[in-house]
Amino acid sequence: MKITVIGAGAIGGNLARKLSLAGHEVQVADARGPEAVAAEVLESGARAVALDESVQGRDAIILAIPFGVAGQLAELFATVPAETVVIDTSNYYPHLNGRIEEVEGDGKVESVHTSDLLGRPVVKAWNAALAETQRTRGVPAGTPGRIAIPVAGDSEDAKKVAMSLVDDTGFDPYDAGPLADSWRQQPMGPAYCTELTLDELPTALAAAHRVKDAAVRDSMLERFAALPADPTLDDVVEMNRAAHR
């Protein structure tokens, strides 16, 4: 597939490398220009391109950008064909993104908000796994204990594309329903960054509670402060799991 990843940080860089290794033709665009894309992001074959040249002729575009800034790309995406699959990986944290009243006060689902800002449908994927999980714990399909990643969207065809790409990055994709239900994979629900298998993930998604999960999200800094000085990935995953016991 011809794929563009917009955003070259931890998540975008992971995806660019893994999807290149899986045999896809990957472009990486960054608002700061092609020169801002680190060399290690491109070492598996991805190519850095200018943002305004990145969205034409692509089968899928992955947004690995901060939550709430998708509106800055609306004009660019107005030229993207309707059949191009757009995948949103972002998460909302008020202490990082600032309070967004439509999400925080009115309860609009995060990726529905992103879709509205962008002016087109999106699929939600890869948001519910830590960057280090994505970088180090992807394994081939069929491996026992393979971690699952929820994928939500309104187009069954678009969702199938996203699920196939999740599989290519080393994780079991799970159909988490329509975009309106993607709040179940938002921070910090039972399915969020807890490294569950395909058998375990449905129960965790079903157990999500919007009020409780938002409270857990807002206590994150306090909980991080209680971790060892140099926490491991396992420490962080266990902290997330423990919040729902």
Side-chain angles (χ1 to χ4, degrees), residues 63-68 88-92 110-111 114 124-125 127 187:
L63 299 177
I65 58 177
F67 183 80
D88 174 36
T89 70
S90 67
N91 290 302
Y92 171 59
E110 290 176 6
S111 282
T114 296
K124 182 84 161 185
N127 75 297

Side-chain angles (χ1 to χ4, degrees), residues 99-185:
R99 181 181 171 89
I100 298 176
E101 188 61 31
E102 194 171 51
V103 175
E104 188 76 357
D106 301 340
K108 180 171 281 191
V109 175
E110 290 176 6
S111 282
V112 173
H113 179 71
T114 296
S115 177
D116 290 346
L117 290 177
L118 203 61
R120 62 173 297 133
V122 302
V123 178
K124 182 84 161 185
W126 286 296
N127 75 297
L130 293 161
E132 189 66 5
T133 296
Q134 294 185 41
R135 188 180 74 83
T136 64
R137 295 189 171 173
V139 294
T143 301
R146 196 185 198 210
I147 296 167
I149 287 180
V151 180
D154 297 329
S155 163
E156 293 302 317
D157 289 341
K159 198 158 43 175
K160 286 177 183 176
V161 169
M163 292 176 71
S164 175
L165 295 178
V166 166
D167 190 25
D168 285 344
T169 60
F171 301 91
D172 279 337
Y174 176 76
D175 187 338
L179 198 65
D181 285 348
S182 65
W183 66 267
R184 295 183 178 277
Q185 66 199 69

Side-chain angles (χ1 to χ4, degrees), residues 18 53 71 82 95 147 151 191 206 210 240:
K18 287 186 172 253
E53 301 171 359
H95 70 277
I147 296 167
V151 180
R210 297 187 76 168
N240 293 338

Side-chain angles (χ1 to χ4, degrees), residues 86 115 145 147 200 238:
V86 180
S115 177
I147 296 167
E200 297 166 327
E238 173 57 25

